Amino acid sequence: MVLIAVVRDYINRMLHDISGMKVLILDSQTVSVVSVVYSQSELLQKEVFLVELVDSISMSKEPMTHLKAVYFLRPTSENVVLVRRQLNHPRFGEYHLFFSNMLKDTQLHNMADADEPEVVQQVQEFYADFVALDSHHFSLNISSNHMYMLPAVVDPSGLQHFCDQAIDGIAAIFLALKRRPVIRYSQTSDIAKRIAQEALKLMYQQESGLFDFRRSEVSPLLLILDRRDDPVTPLLNQWTYQAMVHELIGIQDNKVDLRNIGKASKDHKEVVLSSEQDPFFKANMHENFGDIGMNIKKLVDDFQQIEKSNQNIQTIEDMAKFVDNYPEYKKMHGNVSKHVTLVTEMSRIVEERKLMLVSQTEQDLACNGGQGAAFEAVTNLLNNENISDIDRLRLVMLYALRYEKESPVQLMQLFNKLASQSPKYKPGLVQFLLKQAGVDRRTGDLYGNRDLLNYALNMARGLKGVENVYTQHQPLLSQTMESITKGRLRDVDYPYIGNHFQQARPQDVIIFIVGGTTYEEARMVSLQNATNSGIRFILGGSAILNSKRFLRDLEEAQRIIRTSTNVI
């Protein structure tokens, strides 16, 4: 169940059997699918000398009959129109068409009609309609991610498009893994239920034959969750390496844009952070920020030793050895400077925004009781002029989620203070979050304080000690995975859909979060898989979140709902 291996295998099969010079033609989605698992140099080894986007290649008329065109596209009606147009006036010697999901018969006929010159050699479906960020973590990179917060009546066609894309991605995961799942969903979420129903219909009715792999093992579990069951995790500052880079700088398809960072060298305007390509990152992606500093120091020390030996070139043999080792040396130099640049920049942001101060209060709001002390801490931070607007907003949101029922008067005082201190954030956004993800809307026990069992669990956790005050918080997903592992996931909270039930404990569980996942949750999945509990978890979602993206989706949903209400 290694997602990266599955997608690499598809791309290998696409490129390996077509000999000669090739152009690889992608769309805005499949370019992400390919880029996270395949490097430029690997594509060159497969004789791919040009990579183009399908919409820009339409603009060019220059014939290149010496090249064979390998298309890898999502089977959208727009892409089919572009392929038809290109087949009407072929520029390349051969056309090999691969689609990342199921093609409709009509689409196939449309393309066949356009292929009068008979340049198409093959048309195939390769189910890589997801971005495999890691072996256990995928994203669908849905740009309209805010749609999951909208009531169906506000934008029915937009919501249908969002659901279709989610179902396409989920279907591709199971077709790639050659399995058909039993499906459960978060009971309080309309959108999770809708996606579960449509996925069931696709896999067990419309395309039943395609999903019938005749396997004897226990069916995997597909659990569809709603981001609003745990709005706390995407609002928190992060203190483990990968999650922190995404929170403070931003990661897109395993790449980090360093162009706005003053000290980044010309070679490092965009760097890759991939556990597949970078051994240091693989070993440290889930480590605490404090430990990262020490580990990078060791990396720098090791590099300086090599550099010293390289400076000591005295004989022809020494020079030959240096030249032989130079590519490895240059790669190591790039790696060292990449991680030093990232950690230096994050340290600067932490100091500038006083994030250690902010984060301590965030963690208290997420993990500990004590409403009076929490109110005082948040008030003090709102009054502190060194605290940024976005940090003030997140603190008020975290307080509101925790104490919405307990202290309405003090909550109103915080709303007013936020409005006066940070006027660009209207307090309405906090109320909108409570409407979307308040206690009455959530499935699961977000704060672990509703019953004695959770009280006991928290006590046990407290006795074990916490490795770091800044990483006390555990996403709700941790509890959910624990319940699945122990066979205690409640049917009343996470009902089955259709007449397909789990007969025994599943060995494979795919958890899909409508609204997006976080790197903190991906870390939890990785740690859970490392315990060898007999269940392998894969996590996926409609997008990858940090607090900026979560707040942007919230603002966009609020804007659309307000506009539609005014129109009505």
Side-chain angles (χ1 to χ4, degrees), residues 303-505:
F303 177 69
Q304 283 171 339
Q305 287 298 114
I306 291 170
E307 204 165 33
K308 226 176 258 175
S309 68
N310 283 343
Q311 285 163 1
N312 192 23
I313 294 173
Q314 293 175 346
T315 66
I316 297 288
E317 285 81 7
D318 288 345
M319 198 177 284
K321 192 174 171 188
F322 172 74
V323 170
D324 283 347
N325 293 333
Y326 184 72
E328 197 56 39
Y329 167 80
K330 193 158 172 25
K331 186 178 172 188
M332 191 177 180
H333 177 269
N335 222 23
V336 170
S337 62
K338 166 174 80 177
H339 292 293
V340 169
T341 302
L342 288 171
V343 168
T344 306
E345 176 63 9
M346 290 196 296
S347 300
R348 185 192 68 75
I349 295 169
V350 166
E351 176 51 37
E352 185 183 89
R353 285 173 49 189
K354 305 291 176 246
L355 290 183
M356 293 185 100
L357 196 62
V358 171
S359 191
Q360 208 160 342
T361 300
E362 287 179 2
Q363 291 287 326
D364 280 342
L365 285 168
C367 308
N368 305 319
Q371 180 264 323
F375 176 74
E376 190 180 334
V378 173
T379 304
N380 289 341
L381 287 169
L382 289 181
N383 288 330
N384 184 335
E385 54 199 41
N386 293 317
I387 305 303
S388 69
D389 284 346
I390 192 169
D391 293 322
R392 287 181 178 139
L393 174 68
R394 290 186 306 102
L395 284 162
V396 174
M397 284 182 162
L398 289 164
Y399 181 91
L401 287 164
R402 183 77 199 242
Y403 299 113
E404 62 177 303
K405 300 287 192 194
E406 287 173 50
S407 60
V409 174
Q410 286 168 313
L411 196 51
M412 195 50 69
Q413 288 174 343
L414 291 180
F415 288 162
N416 294 336
K417 190 170 276 295
L418 178 68
S420 64
Q421 299 278 35
S422 308
K424 73 180 210 175
Y425 285 122
K426 304 287 185 287
L429 194 61
V430 186
Q431 279 100 318
F432 183 68
L433 173 66
L434 291 179
K435 270 189 195 146
Q436 285 286 327
V439 64
D440 298 330
R441 295 290 303 270
R442 298 194 296 260
T443 296
D445 190 6
L446 182 59
Y447 289 105
N449 58 0
R450 290 196 209 164
D451 56 34
L452 285 169
L453 170 69
N454 281 300
Y455 181 73
L457 276 172
N458 286 340
M459 281 284 289
R461 239 180 243 145
L463 292 171
K464 277 185 219 162
V466 176
E467 58 178 271
N468 185 325
V469 68
Y470 299 108
T471 53
Q472 296 174 67
H473 172 256
Q474 298 238 320
L476 181 64
L477 187 71
S478 297
Q479 284 181 40
T480 310
M481 288 192 294
E482 196 176 319
S483 299
I484 291 169
T485 306
K486 292 179 174 171
R488 291 186 188 150
L489 194 68
R490 286 157 41 119
D491 292 9
V492 64
D493 291 333
Y494 302 98
Y496 289 91
I497 198 117
N499 299 318
H500 308 279
F501 303 98
Q502 212 88 48
Q503 301 304 323
R505 197 177 79 145

Side-chain angles (χ1 to χ4, degrees), residues 477-478 481-482 485 522-537:
L477 187 71
S478 297
M481 288 192 294
E482 196 176 319
T485 306
R523 174 177 177 264
M524 284 297 158
V525 169
S526 178
L527 295 175
Q528 175 63 38
N529 285 340
T531 64
N532 297 321
S533 65
I535 297 181
R536 289 171 297 185
F537 288 92

